[in-house]
């Protein structure tokens, strides 16, 4: 089966082409069903890859499938080849599995969205073309066996993100959000491109293909070849990861990306694309460990991003924006796990987060559909009576996000906190706990404010209705995964750690050192108390004493203002852009026009003046020309005569 892994690309590529050329004729919802079935078939292939690897001994779970020779320039020989190992198979399962559920949801959601956006059959098919293209690009990224092919997928998902965020291009806000995401990610992508060039320059002869297995071999056998550039390369890779995974300082694009259709937010900006930075960092973990201090930077970037994004989420009232900042915060947790060497914990949280965050976004889309596009939770209230299925599934997703005991998010988040504690990074551990508390508060703010209490807008409430079965079925599947997803890393199951232990050629990932059972149970209890405490605080502030949140906000008004404005990152970038524009105008005016152009034009005018004066000598009179020749001859002869006399 492993040799036929290339089949994973065939269904979405075929559906993409059919919808691109014939989607308008297929119409709604046939074009959507085609796109969804295609991703479902890819999921079956991903399952085949998983079980094919599972049947191999642990030390042999790495298989390369070369499809064709791609580029041959001297020592530079990257092939179009797939690397099948536990890490890539896990990512393929997440991408295709969650992607399939979101495609199914999209079939009905986008058909119903015709009420707001006049979505004709052509645009409906175009949406699924873009969605299938994203799946193909993401699969290239996670299955690539070398850095160049990974970069191709990396840029592909960036393009897909731009197309899908700006799908409602007739809305200026959506068009601007798409451009913002594209441009911010270009900063990170620059870091990725330069890093690849530096790696090839350092080990081009030893690993000309830039295949990961070759890089691992070079690192293991000839570490000094990369030691000199490892810090620079890994910092550039970290820059790339902060762009794609929306971390400090390049997180500003993700909240605005909520302008895209809600299923896009669930697929790209919660479950898959934004995790590409985490995946790439784990894939290149041997190089990061060789660099030394870069992992510390990774951990601190993740921890600070997690904390700051959680505080921002507390101040928001737009349901999708709360979830957007929550996504940034949870990605920060993953970076924290990677930074302390807890690679398995980071991948564990990546997997469970895909379940419950996709669930929350899709449930938010159900609320949005029921309320005719309204997302301000302060205009809602009492919706659990009108949207029982949406409420129950949203409650499960929020509980998993909050780290409610025994749900998936509880186990995966605790795994990162345990890894941080065992790394003796106690300050980072404290930041992680505070972030967990804030996460529980804003998670249940999203439950209590819109779904509990009395309706705040009676007109919205009266028109609210539950979503169709094709939209609620994926919610239940994701809710079930959010409940049981944590079991994959428990000791009595075939644990994720065991599955990923031969992730790279250097041996066990992150060289985990398990704490004593008593310590681990104590840390587990602390995490549970923090989560339950946050839920209780949310209940007090938003149910028992609704004015409590207002009083707290007034007492810490400067901090609230700071967080509500996103710590002024957007303001700073806008000022930077304004400064660049001003500098550009200075260069264009004072330097280019007034200096360079003036000098060139002045020189041209000087020669023009000189030419106009010398042109008067051109009279056309033969006698004057003869006289000029005679005078010239006399001058020359006089010069030579004077030189001869002086020489004597």
């Amino acid at each position: 089966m492993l040799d036929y892994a290339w089949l994973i690309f065939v269904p979405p590529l075929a559906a993409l082409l059919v919808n691109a050329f014939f989607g308008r004729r297929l119409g709604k919802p046939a074009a959507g069903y085609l796109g969804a079935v295609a991703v479902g078939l890819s999921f079956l292939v991903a399952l085949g890859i998983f079980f094919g690897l599972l049947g191999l001994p642990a030390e042999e779970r790495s298989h390369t499938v070369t499809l064709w020779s791609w580029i041959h320039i001297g020592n530079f020989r990257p092939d179009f080849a797939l690397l099948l190992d536990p890490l890539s198979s896990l990512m393929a399962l997440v991408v295709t599995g969650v992607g399939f559920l979101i495609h199914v949801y999209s079939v009905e959601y986008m058909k119903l969205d015709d009420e707001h956006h006049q979505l004709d059959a052509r645009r409906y098919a175009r949406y699924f073309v873009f969605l299938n293209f994203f799946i193909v690009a993401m699969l290239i990224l996670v299955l690539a066996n070398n850095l160049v092919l990974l970069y191709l997928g990396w840029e592909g998902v960036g393009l897909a993100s731009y197309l899908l965020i700006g799908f409602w291009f007739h809305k200026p806000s959506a068009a601007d959000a798409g451009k913002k995401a594209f441009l911010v990610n270009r900063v990170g992508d620059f870091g990725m491109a330069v890093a690849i060039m530096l790696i090839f320059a350092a080990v081009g002869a030893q690993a000309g293909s830039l295949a990961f297995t070759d890089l691992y071999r070079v690192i293991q056998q000839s570490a000094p070849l990369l030691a000199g550039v490892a810090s620079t390369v890994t910092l550039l890779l970290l820059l790339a990861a902060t762009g794609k995974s929306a971390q400090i300082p390049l997180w500003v694009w993700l909240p605005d990306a909520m302008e895209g259709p809600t299923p896009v937010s669930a697929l790209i900006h919660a479950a898959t694309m934004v995790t590409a930075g985490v995946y790439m960092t784990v894939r290149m973990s041997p190089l990061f460990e060789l660099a030394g201090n870069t992992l510390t930077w990774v951990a601190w970037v993740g921890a600070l991003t997690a904390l700051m994004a959680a505080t921002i989420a507390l101040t928001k009232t737009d349901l999708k924006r709360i979830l957007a900042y929550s996504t940034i915060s949870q990605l920060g947790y993953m970076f924290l796990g990677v930074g302390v060497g807890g690679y398995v914990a980071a991948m564990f949280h990546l997997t469970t987060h895909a379940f419950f965050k996709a669930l929350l976004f899709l449930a938010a889309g159900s609320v949005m559909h029921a309320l005719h596009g309204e997302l301000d939770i302060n205009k809602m209230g009492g919706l659990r009576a009108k949207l029982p299925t949406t409420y129950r599934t949203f409650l499960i997703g929020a509980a998993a996000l909050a780290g409610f005991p025994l749900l998936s998010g509880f186990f995966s988040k605790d795994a990162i906190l345990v890894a941080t504690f065992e790394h003796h990074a106690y300050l980072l551990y404290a930041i992680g706990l505070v972030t967990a508390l804030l996460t529980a508060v804003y998670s249940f703010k999203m439950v209590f404010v819109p779904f509990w209490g009395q309706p705040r807008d009676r007109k919205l409430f009266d028109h609210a209705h539950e979503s169709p079965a094709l939209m609620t079925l994926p919610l239940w599947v994701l809710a079930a995964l959010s409940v049981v997803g944590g079991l994959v890393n428990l000791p009595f199951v075939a644990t994720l750690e065991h599955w990923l232990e031969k992730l790279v050629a250097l041996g066990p990932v992150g060289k985990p050192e398990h704490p004593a059972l008593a310590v681990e149970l104590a840390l587990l209890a602390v995490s549970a108390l923090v989560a339950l405490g946050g839920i209780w605080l949310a209940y007090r502030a938003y149910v028992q004493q609704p004015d409590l949140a207002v009083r707290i906000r007034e007492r810490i008004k400067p901090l609230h203002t700071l967080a509500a404005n996103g710590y002024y990152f957007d303001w700073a970038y806008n000022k930077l852009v304004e400064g660049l524009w001003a500098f550009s105008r200075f260069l264009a005016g004072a330097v280019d026009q007034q200096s360079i152009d003036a000098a060139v034009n002045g020189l041209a005018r000087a020669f023009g003046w000189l030419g106009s004066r010398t042109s008067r000598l051109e009279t056309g009179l033969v006698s004057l020309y003869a006289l000029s020749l005679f005078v010239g001859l006399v001058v020359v002869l006089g010069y030579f005569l004077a030189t001869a006399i002086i020489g004597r």
Side-chain angles (χ1 to χ4, degrees):
M1 174 61 202
L2 296 180
D3 289 332
Y4 295 97
W6 55 270
L7 289 172
I8 198 169
F9 300 106
V10 174
L13 272 175
L16 183 160
L17 293 172
V18 171
N19 273 330
F21 290 102
F22 308 107
R24 187 174 182 178
R25 295 182 182 179
L26 289 176
K28 299 183 289 187
Y33 283 123
L34 176 63
V37 169
V39 180
L41 293 174
S42 290
F43 176 66
L44 294 179
V45 178
L47 280 176
I49 294 172
F50 172 78
F51 286 111
L53 289 171
L54 191 63
L56 298 175
E59 62 275 4
E60 297 178 12
R61 288 176 184 161
S62 180
H63 185 75
T64 299
V65 180
T66 302
L67 302 183
W68 64 78
S69 178
W70 186 19
I71 303 172
H72 274 199
I73 304 175
N75 290 331
F76 189 56
R77 302 182 306 277
D79 292 327
F80 204 102
L82 311 180
L83 176 61
L84 310 178
D85 66 1
L87 179 60
S88 62
S89 68
L90 174 66
M91 290 297 294
L93 284 171
V94 170
V95 171
T96 56
V98 177
F100 170 66
L101 294 173
I102 293 172
H103 273 71
V104 172
Y105 178 96
S106 294
V107 171
E108 191 69 20
Y109 182 90
M110 296 303 288
K111 188 175 72 172
L112 295 173
D113 224 24
D114 188 22
E115 302 172 11
H116 310 295
H117 297 288
Q118 293 79 48
L119 191 69
D120 58 20
R122 179 173 59 86
R123 288 188 179 179
Y124 183 85
R126 180 193 297 162
Y127 170 80
F128 284 94
V129 168
F130 294 164
L131 220 56
N132 284 157
F133 171 66
F134 168 79
I135 293 292
V136 172
M138 193 69 195
L139 288 173
I140 291 174
L141 192 159
V142 301
L143 293 173
N145 95 313
N146 61 76
L147 277 169
V148 180
L149 190 57
L150 181 147
Y151 187 66
L152 176 66
W154 188 275
E155 292 298 323
V157 295
L159 173 59
S161 174
Y162 164 75
L163 294 171
L164 287 165
I165 293 171
F167 185 74
W168 306 124
F169 56 85
H170 58 276
K171 293 170 53 181
S173 58
D176 290 343
K179 289 184 286 188
K180 183 177 182 179
F182 195 77
L183 291 173
V184 172
N185 272 276
R186 294 291 69 73
V187 178
D189 296 352
F190 171 78
M192 171 72 84
V194 176
I196 294 173
M197 295 176 195
L198 288 176
I199 291 173
F200 178 72
V203 295
Q206 288 75 17
S209 66
L210 292 183
F212 298 117
T213 50
D214 292 338
L215 289 175
Y216 299 155
R217 174 179 51 79
V218 171
I219 293 172
Q220 191 173 31
Q221 297 177 357
S222 307
L225 288 171
L226 273 170
V229 297
S231 294
T232 302
V233 167
T234 50
L235 286 173
L236 288 168
L237 291 176
L238 175 58
L239 175 65
T242 59
K244 198 67 74 181
S245 294
Q247 299 292 286
I248 295 173
L250 299 179
W251 66 358
V252 293
W253 66 271
L254 186 60
D256 290 347
M258 298 304 106
E259 290 291 339
T262 299
V264 171
S265 302
L267 178 62
I268 294 182
H269 308 119
T272 53
M273 189 196 89
V274 290
T275 63
V278 180
Y279 163 77
M280 181 272 294
T281 308
V282 173
R283 175 62 77 190
M284 298 298 293
S285 57
L287 186 58
F288 276 84
E289 291 187 355
L290 182 64
N293 291 334
T294 306
L295 283 177
T296 303
W297 282 97
V298 173
W300 275 102
V301 166
L304 292 177
T305 302
L307 178 61
M308 294 171 71
T311 59
I312 297 172
L314 272 173
T315 68
K316 300 301 178 184
T317 59
D318 183 294
L319 191 56
K320 283 178 68 175
R321 282 191 174 265
I322 297 174
L323 291 173
Y325 282 107
S326 171
T327 298
I328 296 171
S329 181
Q330 297 306 301
L331 289 165
Y333 263 112
M334 298 174 208
F335 274 85
L336 173 59
V338 172
V340 298
Y343 305 125
V344 173
M347 294 305 301
F348 182 27
H349 195 52
L350 183 154
T351 304
T352 61
H353 178 263
F355 300 150
F356 59 73
K357 189 54 65 65
L359 167 62
L360 288 169
F361 267 110
L362 295 185
S366 181
V367 172
M368 189 177 177
H369 164 65
L371 302 181
H372 303 284
E374 183 59 62
L375 282 170
D376 187 348
I377 60 175
N378 288 335
K379 295 182 180 180
M380 304 176 192
L383 289 179
R384 58 178 173 172
K386 284 292 191 83
L387 310 174
T389 298
T390 300
Y391 166 68
R392 291 173 187 139
T393 54
F394 192 95
L395 177 62
I396 292 172
L401 172 61
F404 191 84
L406 304 184
L407 296 185
S408 60
F410 170 71
F411 290 113
S412 59
K413 195 179 299 181
D414 182 72
I416 292 175
L417 292 174
V418 169
T420 306
F421 187 87
E422 283 304 300
H423 193 69
H424 307 296
Y426 301 121
L427 181 55
L428 290 172
Y429 175 76
I431 293 174
L433 279 182
V434 172
T435 304
L437 178 69
L438 298 177
T439 301
V441 174
Y442 72 66
S443 295
F444 275 80
K445 173 186 177 180
M446 294 187 292
V447 173
F448 295 139
V449 176
F451 292 102
W452 288 41
Q454 298 301 315
R456 297 175 181 82
D457 187 321
R458 176 56 64 175
K459 184 178 179 181
L460 278 176
F461 180 81
D462 290 341
H463 287 87
H465 55 86
E466 188 58 273
S467 298
L470 202 61
M471 290 172 62
T472 56
L473 179 60
L475 297 183
W476 281 117
V477 175
L478 288 168
L481 291 171
S482 299
V483 172
V484 304
L487 299 179
V488 300
N489 208 38
L490 292 183
F492 56 83
V493 185
T495 67
L496 190 67
E497 183 176 305
H498 175 71
W499 175 243
L500 294 176
E501 66 180 355
K502 294 297 181 183
L503 178 64
V504 296
L506 300 185
V509 178
K511 308 168 188 65
E513 298 177 5
H514 292 296
L517 180 60
V519 174
E520 191 162 5
L521 290 176
L523 295 175
L524 204 66
V526 170
S527 296
L529 289 174
V530 167
L532 294 174
I535 295 171
W536 177 79
L537 286 174
Y539 182 74
R540 288 272 294 175
Y542 300 109
V543 179
Q544 288 187 327
Q545 301 179 27
D547 63 329
L548 179 60
V550 178
R551 296 203 309 269
I552 294 174
R553 185 165 62 244
E554 288 301 318
R555 288 179 182 177
I556 58 169
K557 192 170 183 179
L559 292 176
H560 180 272
T561 302
L562 183 65
N565 287 281
Y567 293 92
Y568 294 97
F569 272 82
D570 273 302
W571 176 86
Y573 282 127
N574 288 334
K575 290 299 181 183
L576 176 63
V577 170
E578 290 174 10
L580 290 174
W581 272 112
F583 184 60
S584 298
R585 286 192 293 270
F586 168 76
L587 292 178
V591 177
D592 188 28
Q593 293 181 356
Q594 298 177 19
S595 299
I596 299 175
D597 283 357
V600 173
N601 293 335
L603 188 63
R605 283 193 294 271
F607 277 106
W609 177 86
L610 182 62
S612 67
R613 294 297 181 269
T614 56
S615 65
R616 295 176 182 178
L617 299 175
E618 299 293 330
T619 63
L621 299 175
V622 176
S623 57
L624 183 60
Y625 293 164
L627 178 61
S628 299
L629 288 173
F630 176 74
V631 171
L633 180 61
V634 170
V635 170
V636 172
L637 290 175
Y639 170 77
F640 284 114
L641 182 60
T643 303
I645 294 172
I646 293 171
R648 288 179 181 177

